[in-house]
Coordinates of all heavy atoms in Angstrom, one line a residue:
M165 N 3.9 3.7 -2.8 CA 4.0 5.2 -2.6 C 4.3 5.4 -1.1 O 3.5 5.2 -0.2 CB 2.7 5.9 -2.9 CG 2.4 5.8 -4.5 SD 0.8 6.4 -4.8 CE 0.9 8.3 -4.4
F166 N 5.6 5.8 -0.7 CA 6.0 6.0 0.6 C 5.8 7.4 1.0 O 6.6 8.3 0.4 CB 7.5 5.6 0.7 CG 7.7 4.1 0.8 CD1 8.4 3.6 -0.4 CD2 7.4 3.3 1.8 CE1 8.6 2.1 -0.4 CE2 7.6 1.9 1.7 CZ 8.3 1.4 0.6
P167 N 5.0 7.6 2.0 CA 4.8 9.2 2.4 C 6.1 9.7 3.1 O 6.9 8.9 3.5 CB 3.6 9.1 3.4 CG 3.0 7.8 3.2 CD 4.1 6.8 2.7
Q168 N 6.3 10.9 3.0 CA 7.2 11.6 3.9 C 7.1 11.3 5.4 O 5.9 11.1 5.7 CB 7.3 13.1 3.7 CG 7.6 13.6 2.2 CD 9.2 13.4 1.9 OE1 9.9 13.0 2.7 NE2 9.5 14.0 0.8
H169 N 8.2 11.4 6.1 CA 8.0 10.9 7.5 C 7.1 11.8 8.4 O 6.7 11.4 9.5 CB 9.4 10.9 8.1 CG 10.1 12.3 8.4 ND1 10.9 12.9 7.4 CD2 9.9 13.1 9.3 CE1 11.2 14.0 7.7 NE2 10.7 14.2 9.0
N170 N 6.8 13.0 7.8 CA 6.0 13.9 8.7 C 4.6 14.0 8.1 O 3.9 15.0 8.4 CB 6.6 15.3 8.7 CG 6.8 15.9 7.3 OD1 7.0 15.3 6.4 ND2 7.1 17.2 7.3
Y171 N 4.1 13.1 7.3 CA 2.8 13.2 6.9 C 2.0 11.8 7.2 O 2.5 10.7 6.9 CB 2.7 13.3 5.3 CG 2.9 14.7 4.9 CD1 4.3 15.2 4.6 CD2 1.8 15.6 4.8 CE1 4.5 16.6 4.2 CE2 2.0 17.0 4.5 CZ 3.3 17.4 4.2 OH 3.5 18.7 3.8
P172 N 0.9 11.9 7.9 CA 0.3 10.7 8.4 C -0.6 10.1 7.4 O -1.9 9.9 7.5 CB -0.6 11.4 9.5 CG -0.9 12.7 9.1 CD 0.3 13.2 8.4
L173 N 0.1 9.6 6.4 CA -0.7 8.9 5.3 C -0.4 7.4 5.2 O 0.8 7.0 5.6 CB -0.3 9.5 4.0 CG -0.6 10.9 3.7 CD1 0.2 11.6 2.6 CD2 -2.1 11.1 3.4
P174 N -1.3 6.6 4.8 CA -1.0 5.1 4.7 C -0.2 4.9 3.4 O 0.2 5.9 2.7 CB -2.4 4.7 4.3 CG -3.3 5.6 3.7 CD -2.7 6.9 4.5
I175 N 0.3 3.7 3.2 CA 1.2 3.4 2.1 C 0.4 2.7 1.1 O -0.3 1.7 1.3 CB 2.3 2.4 2.5 CG1 3.2 3.1 3.6 CG2 3.2 2.0 1.4 CD1 4.2 2.4 4.3
F176 N 0.2 3.3 -0.2 CA -0.4 2.7 -1.2 C 0.6 1.7 -1.9 O 1.7 1.9 -2.1 CB -0.8 3.8 -2.3 CG -1.3 3.2 -3.5 CD1 -2.6 2.8 -3.8 CD2 -0.4 3.0 -4.7 CE1 -3.1 2.3 -5.0 CE2 -0.8 2.4 -5.9 CZ -2.2 2.1 -6.0
G177 N 0.0 0.5 -2.2 CA 0.8 -0.5 -2.9 C 0.0 -1.3 -3.8 O -1.2 -1.7 -3.4
V178 N 0.5 -1.7 -5.0 CA -0.2 -2.6 -5.8 C 0.8 -3.4 -6.5 O 1.9 -3.0 -6.9 CB -1.0 -1.8 -7.0 CG1 -0.2 -0.9 -7.7 CG2 -1.8 -2.8 -7.8
D179 N 0.5 -4.7 -6.7 CA 1.4 -5.7 -7.4 C 0.5 -6.5 -8.3 O -0.6 -7.0 -8.1 CB 2.1 -6.6 -6.3 CG 3.1 -5.9 -5.5 OD1 4.3 -5.9 -6.0 OD2 2.7 -5.4 -4.5
L180 N 1.2 -6.9 -9.4 CA 0.7 -7.8 -10.3 C 1.8 -8.9 -10.7 O 2.9 -8.4 -11.0 CB 0.3 -7.3 -11.7 CG -1.0 -6.2 -11.8 CD1 -1.1 -5.7 -13.2 CD2 -2.2 -7.0 -11.3
V181 N 1.5 -10.1 -10.8 CA 2.3 -11.2 -11.1 C 1.6 -12.0 -12.2 O 0.4 -12.6 -11.9 CB 2.7 -12.0 -9.9 CG1 3.7 -13.1 -10.4 CG2 3.4 -11.2 -8.9
G182 N 2.2 -12.2 -13.4 CA 1.5 -12.9 -14.4 C 2.5 -14.0 -15.0 O 3.6 -13.8 -15.1
S183 N 1.8 -15.0 -15.6 CA 2.7 -16.0 -16.3 C 1.9 -16.3 -17.7 O 1.0 -15.6 -17.9 CB 2.9 -17.3 -15.5 OG 1.5 -17.9 -15.4
Q184 N 2.4 -17.3 -18.4 CA 1.7 -17.6 -19.6 C 0.3 -18.2 -19.3 O -0.6 -18.1 -20.2 CB 2.6 -18.8 -20.4 CG 3.8 -18.1 -20.9 CD 4.8 -19.1 -21.6 OE1 4.7 -20.4 -21.0 NE2 5.4 -18.9 -22.6
K185 N 0.1 -18.5 -18.2 CA -1.3 -19.0 -17.8 C -2.3 -18.0 -17.4 O -3.4 -18.1 -17.2 CB -1.2 -20.1 -16.6 CG -0.4 -21.3 -16.9 CD -0.4 -22.2 -15.8 CE 0.4 -23.6 -16.2 NZ 0.5 -24.4 -15.0
G186 N -1.8 -16.8 -17.3 CA -2.6 -15.6 -16.8 C -2.0 -15.0 -15.6 O -0.9 -15.3 -15.2
I187 N -2.8 -14.1 -15.1 CA -2.3 -13.4 -13.8 C -2.6 -14.2 -12.7 O -3.7 -14.5 -12.4 CB -3.1 -12.0 -13.8 CG1 -2.5 -11.0 -15.0 CG2 -2.7 -11.3 -12.4 CD1 -3.2 -9.8 -15.1
G188 N -1.7 -14.6 -11.9 CA -1.8 -15.4 -10.7 C -2.0 -14.7 -9.5 O -2.5 -15.2 -8.5
A189 N -1.6 -13.4 -9.4 CA -1.8 -12.6 -8.2 C -1.9 -11.2 -8.6 O -1.1 -10.6 -9.3 CB -0.5 -12.8 -7.3
A190 N -2.9 -10.5 -7.9 CA -3.2 -9.1 -8.1 C -3.6 -8.6 -6.8 O -4.5 -9.1 -6.1 CB -4.3 -8.9 -9.2
I191 N -2.9 -7.7 -6.3 CA -3.2 -7.1 -4.9 C -3.1 -5.7 -4.9 O -2.2 -5.0 -5.5 CB -2.2 -7.8 -3.8 CG1 -2.5 -7.2 -2.4 CG2 -0.8 -7.4 -4.1 CD1 -1.8 -8.0 -1.3
V192 N -3.9 -5.0 -4.1 CA -3.9 -3.4 -4.0 C -4.3 -3.1 -2.6 O -5.3 -3.8 -2.1 CB -4.8 -2.8 -5.0 CG1 -6.3 -3.1 -4.9 CG2 -4.6 -1.3 -4.9
D193 N -3.7 -2.1 -1.9 CA -4.1 -1.8 -0.6 C -3.6 -0.4 -0.3 O -2.8 0.1 -1.0 CB -3.5 -2.8 0.4 CG -4.0 -2.6 1.7 OD1 -5.3 -2.4 1.9 OD2 -3.4 -2.8 2.8
L194 N -4.2 0.0 0.8 CA -3.7 1.3 1.4 C -3.5 0.9 2.9 O -4.4 0.7 3.6 CB -4.9 2.5 1.4 CG -5.0 3.1 0.0 CD1 -6.3 3.8 -0.2 CD2 -3.8 4.2 -0.2
S195 N -2.3 0.7 3.1 CA -1.8 0.1 4.4 C -1.6 1.1 5.5 O -0.8 2.1 5.3 CB -0.5 -0.8 4.2 OG -0.7 -1.8 3.2
P196 N -2.3 0.8 6.6 CA -2.2 1.9 7.7 C -0.8 1.8 8.3 O -0.2 0.8 8.5 CB -3.3 1.6 8.7 CG -4.2 0.5 7.9 CD -3.2 -0.1 7.0
I197 N -0.4 3.0 8.8 CA 0.9 2.9 9.5 C 0.8 3.6 11.0 O 1.9 3.7 11.5 CB 2.1 3.7 8.7 CG1 1.6 5.1 8.2 CG2 2.4 2.8 7.5 CD1 1.8 6.2 9.1
N198 N -0.4 3.9 11.4 CA -0.6 4.4 12.7 C -0.6 3.3 13.7 O -0.7 2.2 13.4 CB -1.7 5.3 12.8 CG -3.1 4.6 12.5 OD1 -3.2 3.3 12.6 ND2 -4.0 5.2 11.9
G199 N -0.5 3.7 14.9 CA -0.4 2.7 16.0 C -1.6 1.8 16.2 O -1.6 0.7 16.7
Q200 N -2.8 2.3 15.9 CA -4.0 1.6 15.9 C -4.2 0.7 14.6 O -5.2 -0.1 14.7 CB -5.2 2.6 15.9 CG -5.2 3.5 17.3 CD -4.1 4.7 17.1 OE1 -3.9 5.1 16.1 NE2 -3.5 4.9 18.3
H201 N -3.4 0.9 13.7 CA -3.4 0.1 12.4 C -4.9 0.3 11.7 O -5.5 -0.7 11.4 CB -3.1 -1.3 12.6 CG -2.7 -2.0 11.3 ND1 -1.7 -1.9 10.7 CD2 -3.6 -3.1 10.7 CE1 -1.6 -2.6 9.5 NE2 -2.7 -3.3 9.5
T202 N -5.2 1.4 11.7 CA -6.6 1.8 11.0 C -6.3 3.0 10.1 O -5.6 3.8 10.4 CB -7.5 2.2 12.1 OG1 -7.2 3.2 12.8 CG2 -8.0 1.0 13.0
L203 N -7.2 2.9 9.1 CA -7.2 4.0 8.2 C -8.1 5.1 8.8 O -9.1 4.9 9.5 CB -7.8 3.6 6.8 CG -6.9 2.7 6.0 CD1 -7.6 2.2 4.8 CD2 -5.6 3.4 5.6
S204 N -7.8 6.4 8.4 CA -8.6 7.5 8.9 C -10.0 7.4 8.3 O -10.2 6.7 7.2 CB -8.0 8.9 8.4 OG -8.1 9.0 7.0

């Protein structure tokens, strides 16, 4: 989820990668985009 350029929101992202053996990778985050690299 990419915020509009004038809204100070982090970037939500989630990924799943699975094979016949099961899910090998699952990741979720709210990634900060401010200069301090911190969430509000």
Side-chain angles (χ1 to χ4, degrees):
M165 298 172 64
F166 288 105
Q168 296 283 8
H169 69 268
N170 57 337
Y171 282 90
L173 293 165
I175 297 176
F176 171 86
V178 60
D179 288 273
L180 293 176
V181 180
S183 68
Q184 292 175 321
K185 296 180 180 179
I187 296 175
I191 185 170
V192 62
D193 191 37
L194 286 158
S195 300
I197 50 84
N198 57 31
Q200 298 74 40
H201 197 70
T202 58
L203 292 171
S204 67

